[in-house]
mmCIF file of all heavy atoms in Angstrom:
data_model
loop_
_atom_site.group_PDB
_atom_site.id
_atom_site.type_symbol
_atom_site.label_atom_id
_atom_site.label_comp_id
_atom_site.label_asym_id
_atom_site.label_seq_id
_atom_site.Cartn_x
_atom_site.Cartn_y
_atom_site.Cartn_z
ATOM 1 N N TYR A 439 28.000 -38.431 25.886
ATOM 2 C CA TYR A 439 28.373 -38.058 27.249
ATOM 3 C C TYR A 439 27.738 -38.967 28.291
ATOM 4 O O TYR A 439 27.953 -38.770 29.495
ATOM 5 C CB TYR A 439 27.971 -36.609 27.533
ATOM 6 C CG TYR A 439 28.770 -35.606 26.733
ATOM 7 C CD1 TYR A 439 28.198 -34.935 25.655
ATOM 8 C CD2 TYR A 439 30.101 -35.346 27.047
ATOM 9 C CE1 TYR A 439 28.935 -34.024 24.923
ATOM 10 C CE2 TYR A 439 30.846 -34.458 26.313
ATOM 11 C CZ TYR A 439 30.255 -33.788 25.248
ATOM 12 O OH TYR A 439 30.989 -32.893 24.511
ATOM 13 N N PRO A 442 22.544 -37.944 32.087
ATOM 14 C CA PRO A 442 22.711 -36.641 32.716
ATOM 15 C C PRO A 442 23.652 -36.691 33.924
ATOM 16 O O PRO A 442 24.485 -35.792 34.108
ATOM 17 C CB PRO A 442 21.281 -36.273 33.120
ATOM 18 C CG PRO A 442 20.432 -36.932 32.074
ATOM 19 C CD PRO A 442 21.117 -38.252 31.806
ATOM 20 N N ALA A 443 23.543 -37.739 34.725
ATOM 21 C CA ALA A 443 24.427 -37.867 35.890
ATOM 22 C C ALA A 443 25.883 -38.027 35.445
ATOM 23 O O ALA A 443 26.822 -37.501 36.089
ATOM 24 C CB ALA A 443 23.998 -39.048 36.756
ATOM 25 N N ASP A 444 26.107 -38.741 34.339
ATOM 26 C CA ASP A 444 27.474 -38.911 33.824
ATOM 27 C C ASP A 444 28.059 -37.575 33.414
ATOM 28 O O ASP A 444 29.240 -37.278 33.686
ATOM 29 C CB ASP A 444 27.480 -39.863 32.622
ATOM 30 C CG ASP A 444 27.149 -41.302 32.998
ATOM 31 O OD1 ASP A 444 27.399 -41.680 34.154
ATOM 32 O OD2 ASP A 444 26.622 -42.020 32.128
ATOM 33 N N LEU A 445 27.268 -36.771 32.728
ATOM 34 C CA LEU A 445 27.767 -35.473 32.272
ATOM 35 C C LEU A 445 28.065 -34.565 33.461
ATOM 36 O O LEU A 445 29.102 -33.889 33.484
ATOM 37 C CB LEU A 445 26.754 -34.805 31.337
ATOM 38 C CG LEU A 445 27.152 -33.431 30.797
ATOM 39 C CD1 LEU A 445 28.478 -33.495 30.035
ATOM 40 C CD2 LEU A 445 26.055 -32.870 29.882
ATOM 41 N N ALA A 446 27.181 -34.549 34.454
ATOM 42 C CA ALA A 446 27.429 -33.733 35.647
ATOM 43 C C ALA A 446 28.695 -34.195 36.370
ATOM 44 O O ALA A 446 29.492 -33.379 36.854
ATOM 45 C CB ALA A 446 26.231 -33.791 36.579
ATOM 46 N N ALA A 447 28.921 -35.499 36.406
ATOM 47 C CA ALA A 447 30.119 -36.039 37.045
ATOM 48 C C ALA A 447 31.383 -35.631 36.279
ATOM 49 O O ALA A 447 32.431 -35.357 36.875
ATOM 50 C CB ALA A 447 30.029 -37.558 37.150
ATOM 51 N N PHE A 448 31.266 -35.604 34.952
ATOM 52 C CA PHE A 448 32.396 -35.155 34.126
ATOM 53 C C PHE A 448 32.786 -33.726 34.462
ATOM 54 O O PHE A 448 33.969 -33.400 34.640
ATOM 55 C CB PHE A 448 32.021 -35.286 32.640
ATOM 56 C CG PHE A 448 32.977 -34.609 31.704
ATOM 57 C CD1 PHE A 448 34.186 -35.196 31.364
ATOM 58 C CD2 PHE A 448 32.681 -33.368 31.152
ATOM 59 C CE1 PHE A 448 35.072 -34.570 30.495
ATOM 60 C CE2 PHE A 448 33.553 -32.734 30.299
ATOM 61 C CZ PHE A 448 34.758 -33.334 29.963
ATOM 62 N N VAL A 449 31.797 -32.834 34.561
ATOM 63 C CA VAL A 449 32.065 -31.440 34.890
ATOM 64 C C VAL A 449 32.695 -31.327 36.276
ATOM 65 O O VAL A 449 33.673 -30.602 36.485
ATOM 66 C CB VAL A 449 30.771 -30.595 34.795
ATOM 67 C CG1 VAL A 449 31.024 -29.167 35.255
ATOM 68 C CG2 VAL A 449 30.233 -30.598 33.363
ATOM 69 N N ASP A 450 32.157 -32.075 37.242
ATOM 70 C CA ASP A 450 32.705 -32.046 38.592
ATOM 71 C C ASP A 450 34.158 -32.515 38.618
ATOM 72 O O ASP A 450 35.018 -31.937 39.294
ATOM 73 C CB ASP A 450 31.883 -32.920 39.537
ATOM 74 C CG ASP A 450 30.545 -32.288 39.890
ATOM 75 O OD1 ASP A 450 30.397 -31.061 39.677
ATOM 76 O OD2 ASP A 450 29.645 -33.005 40.361
ATOM 77 N N ARG A 451 34.447 -33.571 37.853
ATOM 78 C CA ARG A 451 35.818 -34.098 37.823
ATOM 79 C C ARG A 451 36.776 -33.076 37.195
ATOM 80 O O ARG A 451 37.901 -32.898 37.663
ATOM 81 C CB ARG A 451 35.841 -35.406 37.017
ATOM 82 C CG ARG A 451 37.216 -36.070 36.952
ATOM 83 C CD ARG A 451 37.686 -36.550 38.322
ATOM 84 N NE ARG A 451 39.010 -37.146 38.242
ATOM 85 C CZ ARG A 451 39.230 -38.445 37.975
ATOM 86 N NH1 ARG A 451 38.209 -39.249 37.754
ATOM 87 N NH2 ARG A 451 40.459 -38.905 37.938
ATOM 88 N N ALA A 452 36.314 -32.406 36.144
ATOM 89 C CA ALA A 452 37.138 -31.366 35.517
ATOM 90 C C ALA A 452 37.426 -30.239 36.510
ATOM 91 O O ALA A 452 38.561 -29.770 36.625
ATOM 92 C CB ALA A 452 36.437 -30.810 34.275
ATOM 93 N N HIS A 453 36.409 -29.827 37.263
ATOM 94 C CA HIS A 453 36.614 -28.787 38.276
ATOM 95 C C HIS A 453 37.630 -29.250 39.321
ATOM 96 O O HIS A 453 38.434 -28.454 39.829
ATOM 97 C CB HIS A 453 35.292 -28.444 38.955
ATOM 98 C CG HIS A 453 34.356 -27.700 38.054
ATOM 99 N ND1 HIS A 453 33.033 -27.485 38.379
ATOM 100 C CD2 HIS A 453 34.535 -27.102 36.855
ATOM 101 C CE1 HIS A 453 32.443 -26.794 37.425
ATOM 102 N NE2 HIS A 453 33.327 -26.556 36.475
ATOM 103 N N GLY A 454 37.611 -30.534 39.615
ATOM 104 C CA GLY A 454 38.531 -31.060 40.618
ATOM 105 C C GLY A 454 39.989 -30.961 40.229
ATOM 106 O O GLY A 454 40.873 -30.934 41.102
ATOM 107 N N VAL A 455 40.281 -30.906 38.943
ATOM 108 C CA VAL A 455 41.665 -30.771 38.479
ATOM 109 C C VAL A 455 41.946 -29.375 37.918
ATOM 110 O O VAL A 455 42.949 -29.160 37.242
ATOM 111 C CB VAL A 455 42.015 -31.849 37.422
ATOM 112 C CG1 VAL A 455 41.921 -33.232 38.053
ATOM 113 C CG2 VAL A 455 41.103 -31.756 36.213
ATOM 114 N N GLY A 456 41.046 -28.431 38.224
ATOM 115 C CA GLY A 456 41.307 -27.038 37.860
ATOM 116 C C GLY A 456 40.914 -26.648 36.458
ATOM 117 O O GLY A 456 41.406 -25.651 35.932
ATOM 118 N N LEU A 457 40.037 -27.410 35.823
ATOM 119 C CA LEU A 457 39.604 -27.094 34.465
ATOM 120 C C LEU A 457 38.186 -26.554 34.460
ATOM 121 O O LEU A 457 37.287 -27.108 35.111
ATOM 122 C CB LEU A 457 39.641 -28.350 33.577
ATOM 123 C CG LEU A 457 41.015 -28.890 33.187
ATOM 124 C CD1 LEU A 457 40.852 -30.229 32.474
ATOM 125 C CD2 LEU A 457 41.738 -27.903 32.295
ATOM 126 N N ALA A 458 37.962 -25.471 33.737
ATOM 127 C CA ALA A 458 36.600 -24.988 33.480
ATOM 128 C C ALA A 458 36.063 -25.719 32.252
ATOM 129 O O ALA A 458 36.821 -26.163 31.395
ATOM 130 C CB ALA A 458 36.608 -23.479 33.235
ATOM 131 N N VAL A 459 34.752 -25.827 32.155
ATOM 132 C CA VAL A 459 34.108 -26.525 31.047
ATOM 133 C C VAL A 459 33.014 -25.638 30.468
ATOM 134 O O VAL A 459 32.134 -25.190 31.187
ATOM 135 C CB VAL A 459 33.488 -27.866 31.496
ATOM 136 C CG1 VAL A 459 32.980 -28.635 30.277
ATOM 137 C CG2 VAL A 459 34.494 -28.711 32.273
ATOM 138 N N LEU A 460 33.106 -25.373 29.177
ATOM 139 C CA LEU A 460 32.072 -24.622 28.468
ATOM 140 C C LEU A 460 31.336 -25.563 27.526
ATOM 141 O O LEU A 460 31.924 -26.509 26.997
ATOM 142 C CB LEU A 460 32.678 -23.464 27.662
ATOM 143 C CG LEU A 460 32.947 -22.162 28.432
ATOM 144 C CD1 LEU A 460 34.083 -22.332 29.414
ATOM 145 C CD2 LEU A 460 33.251 -21.013 27.478
ATOM 146 N N LEU A 461 30.067 -25.284 27.312
ATOM 147 C CA LEU A 461 29.238 -26.115 26.443
ATOM 148 C C LEU A 461 28.845 -25.337 25.198
ATOM 149 O O LEU A 461 28.494 -24.156 25.275
ATOM 150 C CB LEU A 461 27.971 -26.560 27.184
ATOM 151 C CG LEU A 461 27.018 -27.482 26.426
ATOM 152 C CD1 LEU A 461 27.660 -28.863 26.218
ATOM 153 C CD2 LEU A 461 25.700 -27.643 27.175
ATOM 154 N N TRP A 516 22.000 -25.740 32.052
ATOM 155 C CA TRP A 516 23.401 -26.145 31.894
ATOM 156 C C TRP A 516 24.288 -25.517 32.969
ATOM 157 O O TRP A 516 25.190 -26.177 33.493
ATOM 158 C CB TRP A 516 23.908 -25.770 30.501
ATOM 159 C CG TRP A 516 23.177 -26.437 29.380
ATOM 160 C CD1 TRP A 516 22.566 -25.821 28.330
ATOM 161 C CD2 TRP A 516 22.988 -27.846 29.166
ATOM 162 N NE1 TRP A 516 21.985 -26.742 27.480
ATOM 163 C CE2 TRP A 516 22.231 -27.989 27.971
ATOM 164 C CE3 TRP A 516 23.362 -28.975 29.869
ATOM 165 C CZ2 TRP A 516 21.871 -29.240 27.476
ATOM 166 C CZ3 TRP A 516 22.991 -30.222 29.376
ATOM 167 C CH2 TRP A 516 22.269 -30.348 28.192
ATOM 168 N N VAL A 517 24.062 -24.230 33.272
ATOM 169 C CA VAL A 517 24.980 -23.565 34.209
ATOM 170 C C VAL A 517 24.599 -23.819 35.668
ATOM 171 O O VAL A 517 25.463 -23.732 36.552
ATOM 172 C CB VAL A 517 25.069 -22.050 33.929
ATOM 173 C CG1 VAL A 517 25.600 -21.811 32.514
ATOM 174 C CG2 VAL A 517 23.735 -21.342 34.131
ATOM 175 N N LEU A 518 23.328 -24.119 35.943
ATOM 176 C CA LEU A 518 22.914 -24.353 37.324
ATOM 177 C C LEU A 518 22.925 -25.836 37.684
ATOM 178 O O LEU A 518 23.524 -26.254 38.680
ATOM 179 C CB LEU A 518 21.517 -23.781 37.554
ATOM 180 C CG LEU A 518 21.399 -22.244 37.485
ATOM 181 C CD1 LEU A 518 19.945 -21.815 37.618
ATOM 182 C CD2 LEU A 518 22.248 -21.584 38.563
ATOM 183 N N ASP A 519 22.267 -26.667 36.902
ATOM 184 C CA ASP A 519 22.137 -28.088 37.242
ATOM 185 C C ASP A 519 23.426 -28.863 36.979
ATOM 186 O O ASP A 519 23.795 -29.758 37.739
ATOM 187 C CB ASP A 519 20.990 -28.724 36.475
ATOM 188 C CG ASP A 519 19.644 -28.115 36.835
ATOM 189 O OD1 ASP A 519 19.580 -27.372 37.837
ATOM 190 O OD2 ASP A 519 18.662 -28.375 36.120
ATOM 191 N N TYR A 520 24.113 -28.525 35.873
ATOM 192 C CA TYR A 520 25.342 -29.239 35.511
ATOM 193 C C TYR A 520 26.601 -28.474 35.921
ATOM 194 O O TYR A 520 27.690 -29.009 35.855
ATOM 195 C CB TYR A 520 25.374 -29.512 34.006
ATOM 196 C CG TYR A 520 24.337 -30.498 33.528
ATOM 197 C CD1 TYR A 520 23.041 -30.102 33.252
ATOM 198 C CD2 TYR A 520 24.655 -31.840 33.356
ATOM 199 C CE1 TYR A 520 22.079 -30.992 32.812
ATOM 200 C CE2 TYR A 520 23.714 -32.759 32.917
ATOM 201 C CZ TYR A 520 22.424 -32.333 32.649
ATOM 202 O OH TYR A 520 21.476 -33.237 32.211
ATOM 203 N N ARG A 521 26.436 -27.196 36.276
ATOM 204 C CA ARG A 521 27.543 -26.329 36.708
ATOM 205 C C ARG A 521 28.586 -26.119 35.615
ATOM 206 O O ARG A 521 29.792 -26.034 35.876
ATOM 207 C CB ARG A 521 28.174 -26.836 37.999
ATOM 208 C CG ARG A 521 27.216 -26.764 39.178
ATOM 209 C CD ARG A 521 27.892 -27.132 40.482
ATOM 210 N NE ARG A 521 28.954 -26.208 40.855
ATOM 211 C CZ ARG A 521 28.753 -25.032 41.443
ATOM 212 N NH1 ARG A 521 27.531 -24.604 41.695
ATOM 213 N NH2 ARG A 521 29.780 -24.276 41.758
ATOM 214 N N PHE A 522 28.131 -26.054 34.356
ATOM 215 C CA PHE A 522 29.044 -25.616 33.307
ATOM 216 C C PHE A 522 29.518 -24.199 33.607
ATOM 217 O O PHE A 522 28.796 -23.393 34.218
ATOM 218 C CB PHE A 522 28.344 -25.642 31.935
ATOM 219 C CG PHE A 522 28.352 -26.995 31.286
ATOM 220 C CD1 PHE A 522 27.258 -27.847 31.380
ATOM 221 C CD2 PHE A 522 29.466 -27.434 30.585
ATOM 222 C CE1 PHE A 522 27.256 -29.096 30.786
ATOM 223 C CE2 PHE A 522 29.495 -28.681 29.982
ATOM 224 C CZ PHE A 522 28.383 -29.522 30.082
ATOM 225 N N ASP A 523 30.725 -23.884 33.166
ATOM 226 C CA ASP A 523 31.330 -22.583 33.455
ATOM 227 C C ASP A 523 31.041 -21.546 32.379
ATOM 228 O O ASP A 523 31.498 -20.406 32.476
ATOM 229 C CB ASP A 523 32.841 -22.744 33.611
ATOM 230 C CG ASP A 523 33.161 -23.726 34.733
ATOM 231 O OD1 ASP A 523 33.058 -23.310 35.907
ATOM 232 O OD2 ASP A 523 33.493 -24.885 34.439
ATOM 233 N N GLY A 524 30.314 -21.946 31.361
ATOM 234 C CA GLY A 524 29.956 -20.995 30.317
ATOM 235 C C GLY A 524 29.360 -21.704 29.130
ATOM 236 O O GLY A 524 29.319 -22.940 29.051
ATOM 237 N N ARG A 556 30.169 -17.793 41.314
ATOM 238 C CA ARG A 556 31.314 -18.099 40.457
ATOM 239 C C ARG A 556 31.148 -17.360 39.142
ATOM 240 O O ARG A 556 30.110 -16.760 38.871
ATOM 241 C CB ARG A 556 31.407 -19.618 40.195
ATOM 242 C CG ARG A 556 30.146 -20.190 39.581
ATOM 243 C CD ARG A 556 30.073 -21.714 39.664
ATOM 244 N NE ARG A 556 28.778 -22.223 39.288
ATOM 245 C CZ ARG A 556 28.445 -22.585 38.047
ATOM 246 N NH1 ARG A 556 29.344 -22.518 37.062
ATOM 247 N NH2 ARG A 556 27.234 -23.022 37.769
#
Side-chain angles (χ1 to χ4, degrees):
Y439 292 106
D444 292 333
L445 180 58
F448 168 79
V449 175
D450 286 343
R451 181 66 181 272
H453 289 169
V455 297
L457 289 173
V459 187
L460 277 69
L461 182 68
W516 299 125
V517 299
L518 293 175
D519 297 348
Y520 292 83
R521 294 186 64 81
F522 276 98
D523 301 283
R556 57 196 170 91

